[in-house]
């Protein structure tokens, strides 16, 4: 009996490990930015290219940065959720227009609705690289002190907004802006 | 005989388990985000393909930018080596050197520029790791999160060999049970020595 038991236990253990791996998405990576200061940038705004925006200007408030592009198919999947979030006026959403043509980007926002307070233009993708973006769309939540508290790679879903982002935003808004 | 088979099975299972341990570590690293669902992968890939198509249309050939005429052969080899040591985040099983993804082309460009500006390999490595984490390295560092990745296979191999040796030694010590009188008589008869 005992000699069957040991391999059986191994088999069960191995099955458990492999079964757990099945539901595990290897494309999802933990962001190295959680808990770190949001990398700085100084980028022109899509709506007014003579004005620029930087994370320092957004200090003192909780804000969401959504990396998007007009060429990005899966950004379209999350767009309605973003527009709905913006309409609630809970948290300001800023866009990072990643490697895009400004005209195509403006056209897309006009057509689909603009959930962003403002979008920053990142035509070279350098700011995207500074934020470790590897698949558009990506969404970051930045707290009052300018620290990244959440990152999601891939389209937002209503469920992700309701269960992860909004509760986090509310608790961050409750935090003071000073350490 | 049976015990040997069981022992060999154990060693085999250990081997498989050690292979599983490799993916296990990655699993631990990802555990906090794995709940976010898998439905978006195809969409992401789709977007990347789009992006590739766009870049190639806009900027012409972006691959192979390292074969720049301004680079000396030694410098080109160094750039090539650096590119081969980083994983492409988009296709994940390819190095930045091999990948045709848009992001890989951008990162090749960055490596190229930094090397030209005199950055050391360590500086470039740090640049990548701060942005993409240890996952970007094809040769992950030995630390708390990765010790199981490095040591796991050896621990499991030692465990399997130990068990195998234990079973063999145990078997060697075994003596056949003494024959009964009746069996001895029969044995003598069969050996033609009544």
């Amino acid at each position: 009996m005992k000699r069957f038991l040991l391999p059986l236990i191994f088999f069960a253990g191995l099955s458990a490990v492999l079964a757990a791996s099945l539901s595990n998405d290897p494309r999802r990576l933990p962001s190295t930015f959680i808990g770190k200061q949001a990398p700085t940038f100084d980028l022109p705004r899509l709506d007014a290219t003579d004005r620029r925006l930087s994370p320092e200007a957004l200090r003192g408030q909780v804000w969401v940065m959504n990396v998007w592009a007009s060429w990005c198919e899966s950004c379209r999947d999350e767009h309605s959720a973003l527009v709905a979030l913006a309409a609630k006026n809970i948290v300001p959403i800023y866009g990072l227009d990643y490697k895009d043509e400004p005209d195509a980007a403006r056209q897309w926002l006009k057509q689909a609705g603009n959930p962003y307070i403002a979008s920053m233009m990142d035509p070279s993708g350098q700011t995207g690289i500074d934020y470790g973006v590897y698949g558009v769309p990506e969404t970051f939540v930045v707290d009052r002190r300018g620290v990244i508290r959440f990152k999601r790679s891939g389209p937002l879903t209503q469920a992700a907004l309701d269960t992860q982002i909004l509760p986090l935003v509310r608790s961050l808004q409750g935090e003071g802006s000073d350490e | 005989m049976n015990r040997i088979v069981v022992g060999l099975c154990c060693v085999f299972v250990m081997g498989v388990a050690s292979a599983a341990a490799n993916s296990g570590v990655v699993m631990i690293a990802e555990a906090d985000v794995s709940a976010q669902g898998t439905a978006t992968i195809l969409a992401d890939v789709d977007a990347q393909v789009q992006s590739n198509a766009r870049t190639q249309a806009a900027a012409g050939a972006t691959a192979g930018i390292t074969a720049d005429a301004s680079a000396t052969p030694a410098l080109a080899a160094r750039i090539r080596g650096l590119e081969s040591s980083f994983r492409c985040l988009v296709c994940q099983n390819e190095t930045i050197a091999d990948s045709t993804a848009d992001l890989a082309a951008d990162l090749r460009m960055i490596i190229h520029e930094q090397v030209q500006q005199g950055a050391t390999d360590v500086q470039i490595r740090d640049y990548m790791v701060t942005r993409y984490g240890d996952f970007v390295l094809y040769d992950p560092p030995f630390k708390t999160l990765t010790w199981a990745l490095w040591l796991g296979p050896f621990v499991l191999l030692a465990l399997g060999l130990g068990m195998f040796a234990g079973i063999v030694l145990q078997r060697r010590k075994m003596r056949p049970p003494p024959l009964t009188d009746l069996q001895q008589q029969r044995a003598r008869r069969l050996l033609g020595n009544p």
Side-chain angles (χ1 to χ4, degrees), chain A residues 3 6 10 14 21 24-30 32-33 71 73-74 99 126 129-130 132 134 152 154-155, chain B residues 2 13-14 27 29-30 34 37 40-41 43 46-47 50-51 54 89-90 92 102 106 110 127 130-133:
Chain A
R3 71 171 178 228
L6 212 56
F10 274 123
L14 187 61
S21 300
N24 194 27
D25 178 4
R27 284 185 61 82
R28 303 250 169 244
L29 304 176
T32 52
F33 290 99
W71 47 261
E73 284 294 323
S74 43
K99 302 195 82 166
Q126 182 58 53
I129 287 172
D130 288 341
Y134 64 94
R152 184 186 164 95
Chain B
N2 257 341
V13 169
M14 290 294 192
M27 223 172 58
E30 290 166 5
S34 61
T40 58
I41 312 169
D46 188 33
Q50 286 261 331
S51 150
R54 203 188 121 270
L89 274 291
V90 181
Q92 297 199 352
D102 199 16
D106 289 349
I110 284 171
Y127 182 93
T130 23
R131 283 162 180 74
Y132 304 107

Side-chain angles (χ1 to χ4, degrees), chain B residues 78-191:
Chain B
R78 202 184 130 212
I79 291 171
R80 180 82 197 167
L82 277 165
E83 287 172 354
S84 307
S85 71
F86 298 117
R87 181 191 304 273
C88 170
L89 274 291
V90 181
C91 8
Q92 297 199 352
N93 285 331
E94 279 183 315
T95 64
I96 285 174
D98 295 334
S99 176
T100 55
D102 199 16
L103 180 65
D106 289 349
L107 292 176
R108 280 198 296 268
M109 186 70 104
I110 284 171
I111 291 171
H112 187 79
E113 282 168 7
Q114 293 195 348
V115 167
Q116 297 282 13
Q117 285 161 14
T120 65
D121 289 4
V122 175
Q123 282 168 337
I124 293 172
R125 195 181 152 105
D126 286 348
Y127 182 93
M128 294 295 195
V129 172
T130 23
R131 283 162 180 74
Y132 304 107
D134 288 338
F135 190 78
V136 78
L137 303 172
Y138 257 108
D139 187 13
F142 189 86
K143 57 186 201 186
T144 8
L145 191 67
T146 55
W147 70 266
L149 180 75
W150 286 101
L151 297 183
F154 298 105
V155 170
L156 288 170
L157 181 70
L159 227 78
L161 286 177
M163 278 177 61
F164 185 63
I167 288 165
V168 168
L169 286 179
Q170 206 181 2
R171 251 184 77 79
R172 207 172 270 177
K173 263 189 269 169
M174 285 199 310
R175 293 276 168 269
L179 297 180
T180 61
D181 287 347
L182 205 67
Q183 285 169 325
Q184 273 179 355
Q185 275 175 24
R186 198 162 157 237
R188 270 198 294 271
R189 205 164 47 242
L190 286 171
L191 292 167

Side-chain angles (χ1 to χ4, degrees), chain A residues 6-172:
Chain A
L6 212 56
L8 206 66
I9 291 170
F10 274 123
F11 178 71
L14 187 61
S15 304
V17 169
L18 294 179
S21 300
L22 278 181
S23 58
N24 194 27
D25 178 4
R27 284 185 61 82
R28 303 250 169 244
L29 304 176
S31 174
T32 52
F33 290 99
I34 307 290
K36 291 195 186 141
Q37 203 68 27
T40 190
F41 54 78
D42 180 33
L43 293 173
R45 287 170 59 146
L46 182 66
D47 55 344
T49 49
D50 52 330
R51 291 169 66 193
R52 301 178 81 84
L53 202 62
S54 68
E56 287 72 25
L58 301 171
R59 278 285 172 83
Q61 61 177 335
V62 179
W63 56 288
V64 169
M65 186 174 91
N66 177 249
V67 186
W68 65 282
S70 64
W71 47 261
C72 158
E73 284 294 323
S74 43
C75 297
R76 289 159 198 239
D77 297 342
E78 66 169 13
H79 200 79
S80 58
L82 275 176
V83 171
L85 174 65
K88 286 183 188 161
N89 269 326
I90 295 170
V91 61
I93 309 170
Y94 288 86
L96 181 71
D97 189 16
Y98 179 72
K99 302 195 82 166
D100 209 354
E101 311 281 348
D103 287 337
R106 285 185 207 109
Q107 181 60 38
W108 158 245
L109 290 183
K110 201 187 280 180
Q111 187 188 320
N114 184 354
Y116 309 109
I117 304 283
S119 280
M120 292 80 81
M121 293 194 296
D122 181 23
S124 69
Q126 182 58 53
T127 301
I129 287 172
D130 288 341
Y131 276 78
V133 170
Y134 64 94
V136 192
E138 293 197 4
T139 304
F140 297 79
V141 176
V142 183
D143 72 10
R144 292 177 193 278
R145 287 173 290 122
V147 174
I148 294 177
R149 303 295 285 265
F150 174 86
K151 181 207 173 180
R152 184 186 164 95
S153 200
L156 288 174
T157 57
Q158 199 58 51
L161 277 174
D162 292 340
T163 61
Q164 294 180 293
I165 295 180
L166 282 177
L168 177 69
V169 163
R170 289 210 177 87
S171 84
L172 292 180

Side-chain angles (χ1 to χ4, degrees), chain A residues 24, chain B residues 23-32 145 148:
Chain A
N24 194 27
Chain B
S23 56
V25 171
V26 177
M27 223 172 58
I28 295 163
E30 290 166 5
D32 59 333
L145 191 67

